[in-house]
Amino acid sequence: MAIIIRIDVMLAKRKMSVTDLAEKVGITMANISVLKNGKAKAVRLSTLEAICRVLECQPGDILEYKK
């Protein structure tokens, strides 16, 4: 069981780069990469909120639960 973070899908829909997202959210490229590549063990709600605000989406648009 795992929660998958689908930031890449929303970035493509918004035609936004990972660099742009990192700058607008205010976190490092390394941290965005950890999220994007599924290596994150946790995500702060404030970070998730900022990502959703920048990408103009809901958390369910970028989070997916896999059994």
Side-chain angles (χ1 to χ4, degrees):
M1 292 184 261
I3 294 176
I4 314 274
I5 301 175
R6 300 279 185 211
I7 290 176
D8 51 348
V9 173
M10 289 307 295
L11 285 172
K13 287 182 178 181
R14 302 295 187 248
K15 297 181 179 160
M16 185 181 294
S17 71
V18 175
T19 305
D20 289 338
L21 180 62
E23 288 174 4
K24 291 178 181 183
V25 170
I27 62 176
T28 65
M29 280 284 300
N31 284 337
I32 289 286
S33 292
V34 167
L35 291 171
K36 188 173 169 281
N37 296 324
K39 304 292 184 196
K41 299 289 183 198
V43 178
R44 289 183 183 200
L45 290 178
S46 59
T47 301
L48 181 59
E49 180 183 3
I51 290 169
C52 288
R53 181 176 28 81
V54 170
L55 293 176
E56 298 177 351
C57 67
Q58 295 295 313
D61 296 331
I62 59 174
L63 299 176
E64 180 181 336
Y65 178 71
K66 287 276 187 177
K67 289 185 179 181

